[in-house]
Amino acid sequence: MKTMELVFLLIFFPVTLSVKHSLKYFTTMSSGVKNFPDYVAVGLVDEVQWGYCDSISNTVEGKQDWSQKMFEDDPQHMELYTERCLSSQHKYKAHIDILKQQLNQTEGVHIFQRMHGCEWDDETGEVNGFVQFGYDGEDFIAFDLKTLTWIAPKPQAVITKHKWDRDTAHNEIRNYFITQECPEFVKRYLDLGKSSLLRTELPSVFLLQKTPSSPVSCHATGFHPYRAMMFWRKDGEELHEDVEHGEILLNHDGSFQMSVDLNLSSVTPEDWRRYECVFHLSGAKNDIVTKLDKKVIRTNWVSPSEFPAGPVIGGVVGLLLLLAVCITGVFIWRRRDNGFRPANSSDSSSSDPSSVKDAALD
């Protein structure tokens, strides 16, 4: 009887799945980085970059056709963001100077970041948001929307917390932007860019492997929107062990890519047929299922007996040097679900939290 009632409800009262859309702003102030803007700000809607500004150009630039047209049609909107770009870089330069002074840091590369924005549910209208600051890749202070007060995850930020808690007027302004203005911006941008932002595209899925002993990577690229998940399963059951999930990354054309690796070191060749990779895209009717099959795995690995060792050693050394340069140049940390990524400080002074003083930002 209960089954028949459930079927009746599904037929006459179909379930509509809500979609959460987001608008996020990432600003970065750096010190000690050569040949790079001191200040960089980007805006993302549904994880797609649509706006950009730095301390060299001092002008907001639309990164999508629809956002560039928006700025052309609405100069006041562009002036609003340009003004914020100019004012923020001066304010954050003061912040990073204060932190360096009070934390006894005189050399090295240092990064001060702010992340803020909102998430809007198009079915329920529910709005969530965040305002968070980080220093040298670690959480420094965050805004609590429920209490309109600040959270200091590190002892050095306690003085700043008390100072900012007392500024109730400014906290009310932050809350109003996140809960009122930000959702309206989300709706406006989604409407202007609906042909690209609200499109649904399935990815191409490949199985990749560096060497015969390496994990097999299930790689999906070219999908949109970013609301997707991918996993390995065995005999129809999702696997959690020997599996490593990668982040969803943005492609140059506004689509996304992601990977999930499977360690097969303890799996016999006879059992490979029991494994498959599943890609699920929000809004798509069917999943993409890829069977684990050696014949379809793509690799650039070649047996050592098939080529001379000299050029290979030279190539490997060259790649390692290139990798070292790339790692050295990376200093803008991506946001995790719970904050900034930890980073090693290059400053010559002590980075031990217990050995530094409290830092109070103005």
Side-chain angles (χ1 to χ4, degrees):
M1 184 65 180
K2 291 184 178 180
T3 302
M4 292 300 296
E5 292 177 353
L6 179 59
V7 171
F8 176 84
L9 290 173
L10 290 176
I11 292 175
F12 292 98
F13 301 95
V15 177
T16 57
L17 298 178
S18 62
V19 176
K20 293 182 179 181
H21 299 280
S22 64
L23 176 61
K24 301 174 183 178
Y25 301 91
F26 294 80
T27 56
T28 301
M29 193 79 206
S30 61
S31 174
V33 182
K34 297 181 179 179
N35 303 320
F36 199 85
D38 294 336
Y39 175 87
V40 175
V42 296
L44 297 90
V45 58
D46 281 0
E47 305 301 324
V48 175
Q49 182 181 349
W50 60 270
Y52 174 88
C53 181
D54 63 38
S55 53
I56 295 178
S57 65
N58 286 324
T59 302
V60 175
E61 176 186 354
K63 287 298 184 178
Q64 302 294 323
D65 291 341
W66 63 266
S67 60
Q68 185 60 35
K69 187 176 185 303
M70 174 186 68
F71 287 142
E72 293 172 357
D73 295 342
D74 187 355
Q76 290 185 343
H77 201 62
M78 184 174 184
E79 290 175 5
L80 170 66
Y81 279 112
T82 300
E83 181 183 349
R84 290 180 179 177
C85 176
L86 293 172
S87 61
S88 294
Q89 59 185 280
H90 296 299
K91 178 170 62 177
Y92 295 152
K93 184 182 186 306
H95 285 348
I96 201 170
D97 288 342
I98 290 172
L99 289 172
K100 286 172 58 180
Q101 180 181 2
Q102 297 195 5
L103 299 180
N104 298 321
Q105 297 170 332
T106 57
E107 300 177 359
V109 173
H110 298 283
I111 310 295
F112 182 79
Q113 287 182 281
R114 180 186 69 170
M115 307 183 297
H116 73 289
C118 65
E119 192 175 67
W120 168 70
D121 191 310
D122 66 0
E123 182 68 23
T124 65
E126 180 183 2
V127 175
N128 293 309
F130 65 93
V131 181
Q132 188 169 352
F133 293 85
Y135 185 63
D136 282 350
E138 296 185 343
D139 296 337
F140 186 78
I141 194 167
F143 190 52
D144 187 343
L145 285 174
K146 295 181 179 179
T147 62
L148 301 188
T149 58
W150 293 87
I151 300 171
K154 289 185 173 296
Q156 300 96 309
V158 172
I159 294 179
T160 300
K161 166 190 162 48
H162 293 320
K163 185 174 184 178
W164 288 4
D165 281 349
R166 292 191 295 269
D167 192 353
T168 56
H170 199 180
N171 292 334
E172 289 287 354
I173 292 175
R174 291 184 186 274
N175 180 62
Y176 181 80
F177 172 79
I178 293 174
T179 60
Q180 303 297 324
E181 292 184 343
C182 186
E184 293 303 316
F185 283 156
V186 174
K187 299 171 189 176
R188 178 181 180 182
Y189 299 161
L190 287 174
D191 182 60
L192 292 172
K194 57 187 174 186
S195 61
S196 60
L197 295 174
L198 300 181
R199 74 186 190 276
T200 299
E201 291 183 358
L202 292 175
S204 299
V205 180
F206 309 98
L207 297 183
L208 310 174
Q209 191 175 33
K210 294 180 180 178
T211 70
S213 60
S214 301
V216 173
S217 178
C218 186
H219 182 75
T221 183
F223 63 88
H224 194 280
Y226 72 96
R227 293 178 292 275
M229 59 184 298
M230 190 162 61
F231 55 91
W232 284 96
R233 66 187 182 193
K234 175 183 178 183
D235 297 332
E237 296 291 332
E238 181 178 352
L239 290 173
H240 299 284
E241 296 183 357
D242 297 324
V243 172
E244 183 175 352
H245 293 268
E247 294 181 349
I248 296 180
L249 303 176
L250 179 66
N251 290 325
H252 66 89
D253 61 355
S255 64
F256 298 91
Q257 61 171 294
M258 67 186 304
S259 298
V260 57
D261 295 346
L262 174 64
N263 188 341
L264 293 169
S265 58
S266 60
V267 179
T268 61
E270 295 77 16
D271 284 341
W272 275 42
R273 58 182 178 81
R274 302 169 62 185
Y275 292 83
E276 58 190 11
C277 172
V278 181
F279 175 87
H280 173 77
L281 181 66
S282 175
K285 293 182 179 179
N286 300 312
D287 296 337
I288 299 178
V289 179
T290 306
K291 294 285 187 179
L292 180 59
D293 186 347
K294 284 187 177 181
K295 297 178 182 178
V296 301
I297 294 179
R298 300 187 178 190
T299 180
N300 57 3
W301 182 84
V302 182
S303 171
S305 62
E306 297 182 22
F307 52 83
V312 174
I313 295 175
V316 170
V317 172
L319 288 174
L320 290 177
L321 289 174
L322 177 61
L323 180 60
V325 173
C326 292
I327 292 175
T328 303
V330 173
F331 65 88
I332 298 179
W333 292 269
R334 292 176 57 85
R335 181 179 184 270
R336 300 180 303 174
D337 289 339
N338 59 339
F340 292 88
R341 291 180 180 279
N344 293 326
S345 172
S346 59
D347 193 278
S348 59
S349 62
S350 173
S351 59
D352 182 3
S354 62
S355 65
V356 296
K357 300 179 291 182
D358 290 350
L361 298 182
D362 290 332

